[in-house]
Amino acid sequence: MRNCILRGTTQHAQSSSTASPLERRLADIPLERYRNFCIVAHVDHGKSTLSDRLLELTGTIAPGGNKQILDKLDVERERGITVKAQTCSMIYNYKGQDYLLHLVDTPGHVDFRAEVSRSYASCGGALLLVDASQGVQAQTVANFYLAFAQGLALVPVINKIDLPSANVPWALEQIKNNLELEPDTAVFVSAKTGKNVEAVLPRVIEDMPAPSGDIDKPLKLLLVDSWYSNYKGVILLVRVFDGQVKAGDHVTSMATGKKYLVGEVGIMYPNETAQTVLRAGQVGYLFFNPNMKRSQEAKVGDTYTTVGQEKIIEALPGFEEPKPMVFVAAFPVDQSDHQHLEDSINQIVLNDRSVTLEKESSEALGLGWRMGFLGSLHCSVFQDRLRQEHGAKVIITPPTVPFKVVWKDGRENEIRNANDFPEDDATRFKVADLQEPFVIATITLPEEYLGKVLELCESNRGVQKDLHFFTSTQVVLKYHLPLAQLVDDFFGKMKGATKGYATLDYEDGGWQSSNIVRLQLLVNKVPVDAVARVVHNSQVDRLGRQWVTKFKEFVDRQMFEVVLQAVVGNRVISRETIKPFRKDVLQKLHASDAGRRRKLLEKQKEGKKKLKAVGNVVVEHQAFQKFLSSQ
């Protein structure tokens, strides 16, 4: 028996020491033949489809398999968008030599700009993808300037040339005039049909630099991203700048000082594929043994090195963590499901550190959470994941933005909850200024819709900063807009006004003094805390009338009169009255005795008044759910 165990152990040691064919092939590729690059573009220009074709071309995946192999979330496949940057390594034989290519497929929507900027840190170049039928759009320009600022080599790729509406000369003119890229350097492809895709990778090899690094120097690696596995704990995506790392190494975080034992290293090919070692210049994954349990320990932008080398290694410049810009409150439909919803939210937050989470309670809706997101689409994707991946039933309040209170003693407070608004006279006297966040919005649109978009921006308290034509038919608008107006379905209204042809990009525009107030809904003079919002004074009349009219539809009649009011401070903006049920107390009167009739009606009136004084309005949970979903 002992001999069998020893023989089994020896065989296992021999098999683990024998490198796989993939690993032997990787070991023969020198650093000079590495290329790290990403694909960036406006949303829906075909990044994920082009990634699929490149993976098929290099033999990383079988042709004709699942579409959008790097889009791993159900919501990504359903909506046809990329939410989280995904990575994959490929081996490509060019002129008789193997090259190790590392590809990053990035999101195109402005809400996930932080994912794009993180991807740039691990890359030496980028494929700038432009739709031949749509041309250069807002996020294309934003991604170009971000890549240009980081010194990345750019290769323009004109995609969707197979479409009947494709206008390649027009797209080339746009990249020349707006991005100052030479049209001669562009590659023309159709990612959907695979036409001319084989011309892309030779351009990557010839035009993009190899990553810098020295395998003989002490280990220095950058944490680019992380995700959570139930079996392996937190898995880190890293870019190795110097040295090498393998299973069994002791490494330390230069941000937290914590020490870890490396359990496994490998590359994404396209899924996690274990390797013996990760060398300088490579991008791969690693996890620890024992596991890293908390995703908060994995600080994106952190530098890791071998234990004992901390003093001689200079930490790499990290990333600025994105700040949440949109806040919502979430409550379970049924309070008995509170624990299930909490587990579901925590599970998703493990893989999405940009979501902020704090507990909140409401008299109307019970226990819940206040969550912060990068934008409206980010919030919508999170809701879809809760429902699809965890079957959670959740009530989400309309999105709100933070506001800032500047006190007379010089203090500044950023407040995210409308119920903390300084409204009482004693507190308001101490306030020097109230401010709300603004953004600088860049809108690209055809000239024929210019009037409608100008009208939309002006009606949303926008201030025009710039207007210029970058082609004879395309206009670029720059507006200073309140973030509160932007999250109130501004993008949807703009798409409707322009039949989907306009595109939007925005950046932080700082804080600005504003005439903001708290709008509340009262039911028989009792405030409904879940509905309160901080809005601009110019909107209170419209919103107030809308609230009471809509809420009246969902509140059942009572035995006494119910008064619904929208109020700002002590001022009533709008009012609706729900009439009570009324018993016919005159039914048994056969004679026309006016005195008896008056006495019965007065008695009923007194009873109603007494009932109203002691009775509570019972507002069903479903009423709040329907009202909030209608906003």
Side-chain angles (χ1 to χ4, degrees):
M1 179 69 178
R2 186 182 172 196
N3 290 338
C4 290
I5 294 172
L6 286 172
R7 188 162 53 250
T9 306
T10 306
Q11 288 173 350
H12 176 72
Q14 288 174 349
S15 64
S16 62
S17 62
T18 305
S20 66
L22 171 65
E23 190 153 5
R24 288 197 299 271
R25 197 175 171 190
L26 285 173
D28 292 335
I29 303 175
L31 180 63
E32 296 75 33
R33 296 208 298 269
Y34 289 178
R35 297 292 185 271
N36 299 336
F37 70 101
C38 57
I39 304 177
V40 293
H42 191 82
V43 65
D44 202 30
H45 277 209
K47 295 179 299 299
S48 298
T49 310
L50 180 59
S51 299
D52 286 352
R53 299 292 86 77
L54 296 179
L55 293 176
E56 290 174 1
L57 184 67
T58 55
T60 310
I61 62 172
N66 290 331
K67 294 181 180 179
Q68 296 179 328
I69 192 78
L70 295 182
D71 287 343
K72 298 182 179 175
L73 300 176
D74 291 339
V75 69
E76 290 181 312
R77 295 173 183 270
E78 182 183 293
R79 292 191 179 208
I81 59 173
T82 301
V83 170
K84 190 169 179 62
Q86 299 291 350
T87 64
C88 186
S89 295
M90 309 176 286
I91 298 178
Y92 181 62
N93 191 278
Y94 178 63
K95 293 183 179 179
Q97 292 183 315
D98 281 344
Y99 284 79
L100 176 62
L101 309 178
H102 176 75
L103 163 70
V104 183
D105 179 21
T106 61
H109 196 277
V110 62
D111 281 6
F112 307 105
R113 187 195 282 117
E115 292 278 331
V116 180
S117 62
R118 281 208 303 268
S119 304
Y120 287 165
S122 62
C123 297
L127 297 177
L128 191 68
L129 206 59
V130 177
D131 187 331
S133 61
Q134 300 286 337
V136 172
Q137 294 187 286
Q139 198 61 25
T140 316
V141 178
N143 287 332
F144 166 76
Y145 284 119
L146 200 59
F148 187 77
Q150 297 205 19
L152 298 189
L154 293 168
V155 174
V157 179
I158 310 297
N159 190 24
K160 303 188 182 181
I161 59 173
D162 59 310
L163 293 180
S165 58
N167 190 341
V168 175
W170 173 66
L172 289 174
E173 182 189 349
Q174 286 193 326
I175 67 170
K176 181 180 181 181
N177 294 339
N178 300 292
L179 308 180
E180 297 182 356
L181 295 173
E182 287 301 322
D184 299 342
T185 62
V187 183
F188 310 110
V189 302
S190 168
K192 184 177 180 181
T193 63
K195 182 179 180 180
N196 204 36
V197 170
E198 66 277 0
V200 174
L201 292 181
R203 292 293 306 280
V204 169
I205 292 169
E206 292 173 0
D207 295 358
M208 295 183 188
S212 59
D214 189 341
I215 197 171
D216 297 321
K217 286 186 177 180
L219 175 67
K220 183 197 286 187
L221 60 85
L222 176 71
L223 174 54
V224 179
D225 198 2
S226 68
W227 59 94
Y228 189 83
S229 163
N230 289 330
Y231 303 103
K232 301 174 182 177
V234 180
I235 301 174
L236 312 184
L237 181 72
V238 298
R239 153 82 154 90
V240 184
F241 279 85
D242 290 317
Q244 59 182 19
V245 61
K246 57 185 183 300
D249 287 353
H250 282 86
V251 298
T252 180
S253 160
M254 297 189 72
T256 64
K258 293 187 176 180
K259 298 176 175 58
Y260 305 94
L261 177 66
V262 178
E264 181 180 295
V265 300
I267 59 172
M268 306 299 291
Y269 189 77
N271 299 314
E272 294 160 19
T273 305
Q275 302 291 298
T276 306
V277 64
L278 278 181
R279 301 178 182 83
Q282 283 188 302
V283 178
Y285 75 90
L286 60 85
F287 61 84
F288 303 120
N289 187 13
N291 301 340
M292 182 188 283
K293 301 293 185 187
R294 297 172 63 247
S295 57
Q296 288 80 2
E297 290 180 37
K299 297 186 179 296
V300 172
D302 189 8
T303 304
Y304 285 75
T305 187
T306 311
V307 173
Q309 305 286 350
E310 303 94 319
K311 293 183 179 179
I312 63 172
I313 291 294
E314 184 178 346
L316 295 160
F319 308 118
E320 184 180 346
E321 278 295 314
K323 284 184 178 178
M325 301 179 77
V326 174
F327 294 87
V328 301
F331 301 91
V333 170
D334 186 344
Q335 279 295 316
S336 63
D337 294 332
H338 183 274
Q339 187 60 49
H340 173 247
L341 182 58
E342 183 174 28
D343 293 342
S344 302
I345 289 173
N346 288 335
Q347 188 70 29
I348 298 178
V349 169
L350 281 173
N351 288 320
D352 192 349
R353 294 174 310 280
S354 53
V355 178
T356 61
L357 196 64
E358 57 187 54
K359 294 203 171 180
E360 184 171 290
S361 64
S362 162
E363 291 182 12
L365 299 173
L367 294 174
W369 301 266
R370 179 153 291 270
M371 298 189 289
F373 297 96
L374 302 177
S376 302
L377 179 68
H378 187 204
C379 175
S380 175
V381 165
F382 192 90
Q383 290 180 52
D384 286 352
R385 291 188 65 189
L386 275 177
R387 295 187 178 108
Q388 291 175 1
E389 297 175 20
H390 299 274
K393 295 179 180 178
V394 60
I395 300 172
I396 301 286
T397 61
T400 59
V401 300
F403 57 92
K404 187 181 283 186
V405 180
V406 181
W407 304 93
K408 289 182 178 178
D409 60 5
R411 291 181 297 120
E412 292 185 358
N413 280 23
E414 189 176 313
I415 298 177
R416 300 173 178 178
N417 193 330
N419 296 309
D420 298 331
F421 189 83
E423 197 167 62
D424 58 276
D425 294 337
T427 310
R428 192 63 189 258
F429 180 73
K430 300 175 184 176
V431 175
D433 193 19
L434 292 170
Q435 299 178 353
E436 64 173 328
F438 275 68
V439 295
I440 298 170
T442 303
I443 303 168
T444 311
L445 70 153
E447 179 193 9
E448 61 192 284
Y449 303 111
L450 180 58
K452 291 182 179 179
V453 173
L454 287 173
E455 185 181 338
L456 177 66
C457 293
E458 296 293 337
S459 66
N460 281 276
R461 299 192 286 130
V463 178
Q464 189 180 126
K465 294 297 181 184
D466 186 28
L467 187 159
H468 69 271
F469 285 76
F470 69 87
T471 69
S472 57
T473 58
Q474 290 287 108
V475 185
V476 174
L477 272 176
K478 279 204 172 182
Y479 259 89
H480 201 225
L481 281 169
L483 180 60
Q485 301 298 128
L486 194 74
V487 302
D488 189 19
D489 198 29
F490 178 84
F491 188 61
K493 294 171 188 172
M494 186 186 71
K495 283 286 189 185
T498 62
K499 298 182 181 176
Y501 284 108
T503 59
L504 173 72
D505 179 49
Y506 63 86
E507 56 188 276
D508 186 12
W511 296 86
Q512 190 168 305
S513 297
S514 185
N515 184 15
I516 52 176
V517 293
R518 178 172 64 176
L519 181 63
Q520 284 187 297
L521 182 68
L522 306 186
V523 179
N524 273 6
K525 299 185 179 180
V526 177
V528 181
D529 55 353
V531 181
R533 280 175 68 183
V534 175
V535 297
H536 192 265
N537 197 42
S538 63
Q539 293 182 292
V540 294
D541 291 335
R542 177 183 61 84
L543 273 178
R545 285 193 297 271
Q546 182 183 317
W547 278 13
V548 293
T549 305
K550 203 73 181 171
F551 200 68
K552 183 181 178 182
E553 298 175 13
F554 306 122
V555 178
D556 295 331
R557 289 174 69 187
Q558 310 287 325
M559 293 301 295
F560 49 88
E561 184 179 76
V562 177
V563 177
L564 306 178
Q565 294 171 310
V567 300
V568 171
N570 297 323
R571 181 165 69 97
V572 178
I573 304 300
S574 184
R575 167 183 168 136
E576 287 281 350
T577 303
I578 301 174
K579 298 296 182 184
F581 290 117
R582 184 170 179 270
K583 182 181 178 182
D584 187 3
V585 293
L586 306 179
Q587 184 182 10
K588 296 181 181 179
L589 278 184
H590 299 290
S592 58
D593 184 350
R596 176 67 175 160
R597 181 186 297 269
R598 195 182 310 111
K599 184 178 178 182
L600 286 172
L601 289 173
E602 287 295 329
K603 186 177 179 183
Q604 184 187 43
K605 187 177 178 181
E606 287 298 318
K608 294 282 184 186
K609 185 186 274 188
K610 186 176 179 182
L611 184 61
K612 184 177 179 180
V614 299
N616 293 321
V617 181
V618 179
V619 182
E620 294 293 333
H621 202 75
Q622 288 81 0
F624 291 110
Q625 185 179 348
K626 290 174 183 175
F627 175 74
L628 291 172
S629 63
S630 70
Q631 295 300 298

